């Protein structure tokens, strides 16, 4: 795929050219050096041909594999995003109907069942949100959404989500909030809840007996800015 004049038309003493042979479709590299006579005139050329066919084919295979992997990842992200949205709709409906039961029923047994449904539904919705966030992270579309929130309510709700798992294993679940920790904050409540839920769930999962302690404190770092410190201690591995 290269003309003769392209091979021999150069000012330097040597030149490298990539080419493809029409006869057998071999990829090769031509290393062309000039031969000069005693007067400095060009009287010939030395051409070294290196067969690059195997290397080029491997590169093409890698490019094809990369393209296929990228296409598969795009399909996976689209599937996760679509399924997450589709699943959240019936779950929100169930949780909405359950809230009506909690408000209107006076039967203690029904209220207990409805409370369990609320906790399980909240946990399931949290897991679905995690899946949706993973797809957003992979596609580079994760956004931080700051809102005003109450830290005490956030921590209490998070503990309630984990409590049933801890009780099943007869674990003590303790929450300690340092006295200097501000309660009314502005930030991404959803992400903070996810982080604390993940580390608490992990602690309960790998603690066969004993207790899990969640400790939260806050330190003012500048005007209007607070650094939160969240730690989890457990008696597991």
């Amino acid at each position: 795929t290269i003309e003769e004049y392209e091979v021999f038309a150069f000012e330097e003493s040597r030149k490298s050219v990539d080419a493809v042979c029409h006869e057998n479709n071999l990829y090769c590299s031509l290393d062309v050096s000039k031969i000069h006579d005693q007067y400095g005139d060009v009287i010939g050329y030395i051409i070294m041909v290196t067969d690059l066919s195997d290397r080029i084919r491997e590169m093409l295979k890698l490019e094809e594999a990369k393209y296929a992997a990228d296409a598969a990842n795009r399909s996976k992200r689209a599937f996760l995003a679509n399924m997450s949205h589709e699943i959240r709709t019936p779950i929100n409906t169930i949780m909405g109907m359950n809230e009506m039961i909690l408000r209107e029923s006076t039967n203690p047994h029904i209220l207990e069942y409805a409370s369990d449904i609320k906790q399980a539904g909240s946990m399931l919705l949290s897991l679905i949100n995690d899946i949706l966030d993973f797809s957003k992270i992979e596609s580079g579309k994760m956004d931080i959404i700051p809102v005003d929130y109450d830290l005490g309510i956030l921590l209490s709700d998070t503990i309630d989500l984990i409590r049933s798992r801890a009780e099943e294993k007869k674990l003590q679940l303790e929450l300690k909030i340092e006295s200097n920790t501000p309660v009314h904050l502005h930030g991404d409540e959803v992400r903070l809840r996810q982080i604390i839920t993940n580390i608490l769930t992990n602690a309960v999962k790998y603690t066969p007996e004993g207790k899990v302690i969640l400790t939260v404190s806050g330190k003012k770092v500048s005007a209007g800015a607070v650094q939160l410190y969240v730690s989890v201690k457990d008696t597991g591995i």
Side-chain angles (χ1 to χ4, degrees):
T1 61
I2 186 170
E3 300 297 333
E4 183 176 332
Y5 73 89
E6 293 183 70
V7 177
F8 299 111
F10 58 95
E11 298 296 332
E12 302 82 6
S13 59
R14 53 184 300 192
K15 177 183 181 180
S16 293
V17 181
D18 292 333
V20 179
C21 179
H22 286 297
E23 298 294 329
N24 48 22
N25 288 326
L26 289 179
Y27 295 90
C28 61
S29 175
L30 306 179
D31 189 17
V32 185
S33 300
K34 294 178 179 177
I35 302 175
H36 298 86
D37 62 13
Q38 57 183 332
Y39 303 106
D41 296 327
V42 177
I43 59 173
Y45 296 88
I46 298 176
I47 302 177
M48 293 182 61
V49 181
T50 303
D51 187 356
L52 302 177
S53 299
D54 291 341
R55 190 187 309 175
I56 297 297
R57 290 192 188 100
E58 287 300 319
M59 289 175 59
L60 291 175
K61 287 181 181 178
L62 288 175
E63 288 182 3
E64 291 176 358
K66 182 178 181 300
Y67 178 82
D70 290 342
N73 282 330
R74 287 193 297 270
S75 298
K76 180 191 70 174
R77 287 195 295 267
F79 172 77
L80 288 175
N82 291 334
M83 287 302 297
S84 297
H85 284 297
E86 293 295 328
I87 293 174
R88 281 198 298 187
T89 300
I91 290 178
N92 285 327
T93 302
I94 293 170
M95 294 183 68
M97 296 297 293
N98 192 61
E99 282 295 328
M100 294 178 63
I101 295 174
L102 288 169
R103 286 198 304 265
E104 299 176 5
S105 178
T106 57
N107 186 312
H109 295 295
I110 292 178
L111 288 174
E112 183 179 355
Y113 297 149
S115 179
D116 291 340
I117 292 173
K118 181 179 180 179
Q119 288 188 8
S122 297
M123 181 64 70
L124 182 57
L125 197 58
S126 176
L127 292 172
I128 292 171
N129 287 333
D130 284 346
I131 294 173
L132 186 60
D133 284 345
F134 291 149
S135 65
K136 288 181 180 178
I137 290 170
E138 287 187 339
S139 60
K141 296 179 180 178
M142 170 62 76
D143 296 318
I144 297 299
I145 304 175
V147 296
D148 294 327
Y149 66 94
D150 188 302
L151 181 63
I153 295 175
L154 183 151
L155 294 173
S156 178
D157 289 347
T158 305
I159 287 291
D160 287 341
L161 285 175
I162 307 297
R163 191 179 304 280
S164 59
R165 295 188 183 185
E167 290 176 348
E168 287 176 1
K169 302 178 71 173
K170 296 181 172 57
L171 300 176
Q172 296 180 42
L173 190 57
E174 298 181 13
L175 170 61
K176 295 182 179 179
I177 305 177
E178 300 293 337
S179 58
N180 62 338
T181 306
V183 175
H184 301 292
L185 299 174
H186 182 78
D188 197 323
E189 177 187 10
V190 174
R191 307 293 170 241
L192 182 60
R193 188 189 301 271
Q194 284 177 325
I195 293 169
I196 297 175
T197 300
N198 286 340
I199 56 180
L200 269 179
T201 301
N202 198 58
V204 171
K205 180 179 180 180
Y206 293 105
T207 302
E209 59 182 0
K211 60 184 177 180
V212 175
I213 304 172
L214 171 64
T215 304
V216 180
S217 63
K219 177 183 178 183
K220 186 175 181 180
V221 292
S222 63
V226 172
Q227 177 73 58
L228 280 180
Y229 296 90
V230 179
S231 68
V232 172
K233 292 183 180 180
D234 59 65
T235 55
I237 58 176

